[in-house]
Amino acid sequence: MDISSKDSLNCSPVSAELHIPFPSAHLATVAYNSLRVDKEPKRSTTTKVLSLEANILKASFTSGDTRQLRTAVNSFLDLLILVSKAIDEFTPPDFIIKECPLMI
């Protein structure tokens, strides 16, 4: 059996799902609106789906290649860090968080 052949390799899709809690639904919406405009490159086999559930930003990634999945998730996390820093920087100190669920 020739293991270099693509037909002999198991190319089942791989996936990752992230649930990112924010202090409020409003801040989760700000992050969602900032991150949803960043599409995956056309050459990538990775798909990304973002959704919101109250104050939780959900990101689902599916790919046929583990390396591309890792690259997509790492890129997303880099952008998420940037968005989180911007939220921290520009949210007024007197901003009142109306809903603050227990974060575990």
Side-chain angles (χ1 to χ4, degrees), residues 27-39:
L27 294 178
T29 302
V30 169
Y32 170 79
N33 286 331
S34 298
L35 293 166
R36 71 186 173 116
V37 297
D38 182 49
K39 302 293 181 200

Side-chain angles (χ1 to χ4, degrees), residues 40-85:
E40 295 302 314
K42 291 184 185 194
R43 65 186 180 278
S44 175
T45 62
T46 303
T47 58
K48 174 179 67 180
V49 177
L50 295 179
S51 61
L52 278 175
E53 188 174 302
N55 69 315
I56 307 292
L57 173 64
K58 294 183 177 182
S60 298
F61 299 86
T62 305
S63 180
D65 180 53
T66 305
R67 184 175 38 101
Q68 285 187 358
L69 177 67
R70 184 189 71 228
T71 301
V73 171
N74 284 341
S75 176
F76 175 79
L77 291 174
D78 286 342
L79 291 171
L80 178 64
I81 290 168
L82 181 65
V83 168
S84 296
K85 287 180 178 180

Side-chain angles (χ1 to χ4, degrees), residues 14-27:
V14 290
S15 63
E17 189 165 324
L18 306 174
H19 294 198
I20 302 105
F22 283 86
S24 72
H26 174 72
L27 294 178

